[in-house]
Amino acid sequence: MAPELSTFEARRRANVVNNAKLLKDSAEVAAKIRRAAAPPPKPVASKKRKAAEPAPRTRVMPTRQSARLAGGGADKDGTELKLEDIPTELKPPQSKRMRTSGDLQLSNLQVEGQRWSSTSALASFVQGAQPGVRTFTEEDIKDTSDTKLKDLRKEMSDLKLYEGWVPNDIKITPERVYALTFHPIQDKPIVLAGDKKGTLGFFDASQETPVQPDEDDEDVDIPLPQISAFEVHNRTISSIKVPMFDPNSVITSSYDSSIRCLDLQSQVSSQIWQPDDDDIDMGISCIDISPEAKDTVFFSTLEGGLGRVDRRKKGKAEIWSLSDNKIGGFSLHPLLPHLVATASLDRTLKIWDLRMIKGKGELRHPSLLGEHQSRLSVSHASWSRGGYLATSSYDDTVKVYDMSDAMKWKPGEDLSAKKMKPAHVIPHNNQTGRWVTILKPQWQINPADGVEKFAIANMNRFVDIYDREGKQLGQLDGEGITAVPAVAEFHPTLNWLAAGTGSGKLCLWM
C-alpha cells in the first residue's frame, strides 16, 4: 500500500497537472490563431501522379526513452507529469554545440588517429623568418664548377664583420633605420643612415677602437663608438644620396614632404624643395640624381608621382602623376639617365623615357616604354650600370631583368611583353611585417672589380649578394647580429657593405 501523501505534496502534484493542462490549451489556441491569420493557399494545378515503386518493408523497432533523462521520476501512482503531455512548441530547446572563439593552435586541435596525424600537407605553406638558418652555405661554394664564379663566391664570403665594436654597440640612429649609404670616399669607411624620426647619423669606422678585454675581465667598461647624429627632418628619412661628383653634398628626402642638402664643409642643411602650400602633405619615398644633369634631383611620392627639381631653381618642380598608388622606389639608369624604372604598390615595374614627354597640363608624363606585373606589390626597382634591373616584391621573389641593349632604344620605343619578362626569378622571403624596414635590392654603383652585384637583406638575419645572372655570390653574417639588417647597401666602388636594423644598429662588413 502506497504511503499516504501529505497535504503539501498532494497540492503540488495537482498544481503540476493543472499547469500542464493550461500550457496545452494555450498552445492549441495559438495554433488556431496562426491558421486563421494565414493567407489562403494558392490553387495548384493537379499533376499526374506517377506510380511509386513499392518500398521494401523494414521492421521499425520502438525507440526507447529514458524517463529519468526526460525529466520524469518513478511514476508509481500515474500522477507524475509525462514528457509527451507537453506540446512540442513548449518543450525546452536542445543544447547546441557552441562555436569556438579566439586564436587556435593547430597542434592542439589535431584529430586523434594515425590516418590524420600527418602535417606534411601544410608544410609548404609555412613561411616566416628562421633566424640563423643559412640559405647559402660553404657547400654551395665547394660545389661550384665555374672557376670564376667560385672565386667570386670565396671573395664575398671572406668579407668579415667589423671588429671594432659589436653591432649592438654601433647605434647609428636613435630609431629604426629606413635609409643608408656610404660616403664615396675610399680612404676610410664612412656610413650615413636616416631613421624613422628624421635623424641623420654618421659613423666613421676608421676611428680608434678600444682594446678588447680578456674573457676573464667581466667588469671592464668598453667605451662606445663616436657617432654624430642630426635631426635634419621631422619625419622618416626615406632616401640618402651622396653624389660621387659632389662628395661634399648629402641629399636627403623625407616623408615630411621635403628634400634637403647638407653641405659637409659649411655644415649647413639647406632646403631644395617642398610643396608651395604648407598644408600639402606629399611624402617623398625615394630620390635619385643623374650624373649627367648634376643639378637635377628626381624624386617619387607616396601618391604615385615622379618629379624633378633643379637645385639652382629652388621651389620649382615638375611632377608627373604616373600611378594611382604609392611608388615605393625608383632609379635612373646610371649611364642612360633618361630611362627611369618605377616600382609601385599597383604591382608593376614600369620603364619610362624622359626624352619624350607626352600630354599637356596635368596629363603630361614621360613616355611609357613597357611594364611587367607581379602577383603582389613591387617594393623597389634598381638599375645597374650595365643595364640590368633588380626588383623585390611581396610575392617573395627578387627578379632580374636584362635591359643591357637599352642604349639602342629609340625615344618612346614600345617594349614587348617578352622583353619585359624577367630573365631570372630568385625565391626570397620579403615578408618584413610591421617592425622591419622593407627589403630593397641595391646595385653597387661602379664596382672596382668590374662585377655587377647587388645586396639585399635576408629575413634570417643575413645579407645576400647576387650577380646580374641571379646567382648568389655570398651570404654575410657575423657574431652579435640580433636583428634583421634590413637596409643594406654596397660602397659605390669598394667591396664594403653596410646594413641597418630596426633598432638603429649598424652592421659593417669589409
Side-chain angles (χ1 to χ4, degrees):
M1 182 177 178
E4 184 177 355
L5 297 176
S6 65
T7 305
F8 174 79
E9 181 64 21
R11 184 178 299 173
R12 187 189 69 80
R13 294 195 181 191
N15 288 340
V16 169
V17 174
N18 291 335
N19 289 340
K21 186 175 183 304
L22 288 174
L23 290 175
K24 186 174 180 180
D25 292 342
S26 299
E28 291 176 356
V29 172
K32 290 179 181 180
I33 294 174
R34 284 198 297 270
R35 286 196 295 269
K42 296 181 179 180
V44 181
S46 59
K47 295 183 180 179
K48 188 176 180 181
R49 271 190 173 182
K50 293 184 180 179
E53 295 182 3
R57 291 186 176 182
T58 56
R59 184 181 179 188
V60 180
M61 299 297 293
T63 302
R64 298 184 60 187
Q65 188 169 7
S66 168
R68 179 182 61 82
L69 295 178
D75 186 12
K76 297 181 180 179
D77 54 2
T79 59
E80 287 292 338
L81 180 64
K82 305 290 185 181
L83 183 64
E84 55 267 22
D85 293 338
I86 302 177
T88 306
E89 295 87 347
L90 301 178
K91 288 183 180 179
Q94 295 183 357
S95 60
K96 296 181 180 179
R97 299 184 66 182
M98 301 298 292
R99 63 174 173 270
T100 307
S101 59
D103 297 334
L104 305 175
Q105 186 70 31
L106 288 188
S107 58
N108 300 328
L109 305 175
Q110 195 162 359
V111 178
E112 296 181 358
Q114 184 175 0
R115 66 181 301 177
W116 296 292
S117 61
S118 174
T119 58
S120 59
L122 298 179
S124 59
F125 294 96
V126 178
Q127 295 181 347
Q130 296 176 291
V133 178
R134 297 186 66 90
T135 56
F136 183 80
T137 64
E138 293 289 340
E139 295 298 324
D140 295 310
I141 300 176
K142 293 179 180 178
D143 295 342
T144 306
S145 56
D146 188 316
T147 305
K148 186 177 180 180
L149 178 61
K150 190 172 186 176
D151 292 340
L152 282 172
R153 287 178 166 175
K154 286 182 178 179
E155 183 181 353
M156 292 298 103
S157 298
D158 287 340
L159 296 178
K160 301 298 181 184
L161 191 65
Y162 177 68
E163 296 179 350
W165 284 272
V166 296
N168 278 346
D169 287 342
I170 312 175
K171 192 170 177 62
I172 191 169
T173 58
E175 300 289 338
R176 185 205 307 186
V177 174
Y178 269 77
L180 179 144
T181 192
F182 273 94
H183 191 280
I185 189 173
Q186 299 184 14
D187 299 336
K188 54 184 178 181
I190 298 179
V191 183
L192 297 78
D195 75 356
K196 181 179 180 181
K197 295 292 184 65
T199 303
L200 179 64
F202 293 79
F203 173 71
D204 182 357
S206 67
Q207 62 184 278
E208 185 178 352
T209 58
V211 178
Q212 298 297 325
D214 297 333
E215 295 182 358
D216 299 334
D217 299 336
E218 297 181 357
D219 298 332
V220 176
D221 291 332
I222 301 176
L224 294 176
Q226 297 179 6
I227 297 173
S228 303
F230 309 94
E231 296 179 353
V232 295
H233 288 278
N234 294 326
R235 292 175 62 187
T236 301
I237 294 179
S238 56
S239 192
I240 306 172
K241 295 292 180 183
V242 183
M244 296 184 67
F245 52 81
D246 186 11
N248 287 325
S249 296
V250 178
I251 302 175
T252 57
S253 64
S254 171
Y255 288 175
D256 66 7
S257 309
S258 70
I259 302 173
R260 304 188 68 85
C261 178
L262 172 63
D263 190 312
L264 295 178
Q265 285 188 336
S266 66
Q267 298 189 8
V268 174
S269 174
S270 57
Q271 183 172 282
I272 295 177
W273 181 84
Q274 72 170 17
D276 296 332
D277 189 343
D278 291 339
D279 294 331
I280 295 177
D281 190 10
M282 189 181 295
I284 311 297
S285 59
C286 188
I287 57 173
D288 205 357
I289 302 171
S290 166
E292 288 188 354
K294 299 180 180 180
D295 292 313
T296 303
V297 179
F298 289 83
F299 60 93
S300 60
T301 72
L302 300 178
E303 287 77 29
L306 178 71
R308 63 181 173 186
V309 60
D310 194 322
R311 295 168 61 183
R312 297 165 297 184
K313 302 176 182 178
K314 295 183 179 180
K316 295 182 179 180
E318 184 176 13
I319 302 176
W320 308 292
S321 180
L322 303 185
S323 174
D324 293 333
N325 301 93
K326 165 188 171 182
I327 294 179
F330 82 99
S331 63
L332 304 173
H333 192 301
L335 300 181
L336 305 170
H338 56 269
L339 296 178
V340 183
T342 59
S344 175
L345 197 64
D346 63 6
R347 304 179 296 169
T348 62
L349 160 72
K350 294 179 180 178
I351 300 178
W352 308 84
D353 192 343
L354 296 174
R355 294 175 297 180
M356 182 180 288
I357 306 296
K358 299 180 177 180
K360 295 182 180 180
E362 294 183 355
L363 299 179
R364 279 173 55 85
H365 63 84
S367 176
L368 177 61
L369 304 185
E371 67 177 278
H372 178 263
Q373 190 169 63
S374 295
R375 188 171 58 86
L376 294 173
S377 63
V378 186
S379 303
H380 187 58
S382 178
W383 278 107
S384 78
R385 192 176 182 85
Y388 289 81
L389 269 171
T391 66
S392 57
S393 54
Y394 272 94
D395 59 3
D396 285 339
T397 63
V398 172
K399 302 180 182 70
V400 180
Y401 301 78
D402 185 357
M403 304 294 173
S404 54
D405 60 346
M407 62 183 66
K408 301 177 182 178
W409 296 350
K410 299 177 182 179
E413 182 160 337
D414 186 16
L415 301 180
S416 64
K418 182 179 180 181
K419 180 64 180 175
M420 291 300 301
K421 187 176 180 180
H424 309 284
V425 179
I426 307 167
H428 197 271
N429 180 13
N430 298 324
Q431 305 301 316
T432 53
R434 182 179 179 183
W435 306 110
V436 178
T437 306
I438 295 173
L439 309 186
K440 298 181 178 181
Q442 300 286 0
W443 291 93
Q444 191 172 20
I445 296 174
N446 190 16
D449 58 8
V451 179
E452 289 189 305
K453 50 190 174 292
F454 67 86
I456 184 172
N458 185 304
M459 287 299 293
N460 291 0
R461 298 179 184 174
F462 304 105
V463 174
D464 294 329
I465 303 172
Y466 296 93
D467 66 5
R468 66 186 186 184
E469 296 180 357
K471 295 178 181 178
Q472 188 158 3
L473 302 181
Q475 189 168 81
L476 304 184
D477 64 353
E479 189 174 349
I481 300 177
T482 58
V484 179
V487 187
E489 190 166 323
F490 271 107
H491 184 276
T493 55
L494 304 178
N495 286 336
W496 299 340
L497 197 148
T501 72
S503 55
K505 310 296 176 58
L506 177 67
C507 305
L508 176 62
W509 292 269
M510 295 186 295

